Amino acid sequence: MQPWMEISIAVATPFVVMTITRPSKEDVEAEWYTSLKRPFFYPPKWMFSPLWVTVNASAGYASYLAWKDGGEDATQALIAYGGSLLTIAIWPIIVFRTKSLGLATLDSLAGTALAAIYHPIFARINLTAGRLSSIPLIWSIYCSYITFSLWRDQVNKRK
C-alpha cells in the first residue's frame, strides 16, 4: 500500500468513528441538553468543529507514525488508541440515549486513561507522534472535566 493511502486511512479513522455515532441536530437541541448548566469555561458551539478536526487529525497522524515506526512496540499503544476511539464513539450514545452524565463521565475518564497510556508510548516511538498525541490527551482531560462538571452540577441542582 502506498504511504499516502496508509496516512489517509489513519487520519480518516477517528473521523469515521465519530461520524458513526454523531448526535443529531435534534439531540443537541433537545430541551434537556440545552438546559444543562454549562461551566464558565465551556467552549462556544462554533469552536467544536475546528477543535475536533484538530484533535482527530493529530491523533490519526500520530497513530500512523507510531504504527510505521513502532513495530511490536506500537501494539499496546495502538490497542489503547483504539480503545480511546471506542470511548469517543460511545459518549454521544450514553449522553443522548441514556441521558446519564455520570456514566458519560466514567466513559470520558476511561478515554483519558487510554490516551494517557498511548501518548508516552507514541512519544517513545516517534517524537512527532508524541507531540501530536499530546493534543488528544489534553482535549480528553478537558472533555472529562467538562463532562464531570455537567454531571456534578446536575446532581447538585437536584438536591
Side-chain angles (χ1 to χ4, degrees):
M1 190 181 299
Q2 297 291 323
W4 67 266
M5 198 171 224
E6 294 168 345
I7 294 167
S8 298
I9 291 168
V11 171
T13 298
F15 290 97
V16 170
V17 168
M18 281 189 66
T19 301
I20 292 170
T21 60
R22 183 176 177 222
S24 69
K25 185 177 181 187
E26 293 81 23
D27 286 336
V28 176
E29 293 176 354
E31 184 180 339
W32 81 269
Y33 188 70
T34 57
S35 69
L36 291 174
K37 181 184 173 210
R38 306 282 198 280
F40 74 92
F41 49 83
Y42 192 87
K45 284 183 191 179
W46 63 267
M47 283 185 73
F48 280 98
S49 289
L51 283 168
W52 276 113
V53 166
T54 303
V55 169
N56 287 339
S58 62
Y61 190 63
S63 73
Y64 164 75
L65 293 172
W67 170 78
K68 178 180 71 82
D69 294 346
E72 292 282 324
D73 293 339
T75 302
Q76 181 183 8
L78 291 170
I79 290 169
Y81 171 69
S84 74
L85 292 179
L86 180 62
T87 65
I88 291 167
I90 63 174
W91 188 92
I93 296 168
I94 293 168
V95 170
F96 295 105
R97 298 294 172 248
T98 70
K99 299 178 181 163
S100 174
L101 294 172
L103 187 56
T105 298
L106 291 175
D107 175 72
S108 288
L109 290 170
T112 299
L114 289 164
I117 290 169
Y118 77 75
H119 167 67
I121 301 170
F122 279 15
R124 226 177 15 254
I125 293 169
N126 180 296
L127 183 59
T128 302
R131 289 176 177 158
L132 288 170
S133 67
S134 67
I135 296 168
L137 175 60
I138 292 165
W139 180 244
S140 184
I141 292 167
Y142 176 75
C143 288
S144 291
Y145 188 73
I146 291 285
T147 305
F148 169 76
S149 296
L150 290 170
W151 174 58
R152 180 198 59 214
D153 292 344
Q154 299 323 299
V155 169
N156 290 340
K157 194 164 85 171
R158 286 187 223 135
K159 290 182 180 181

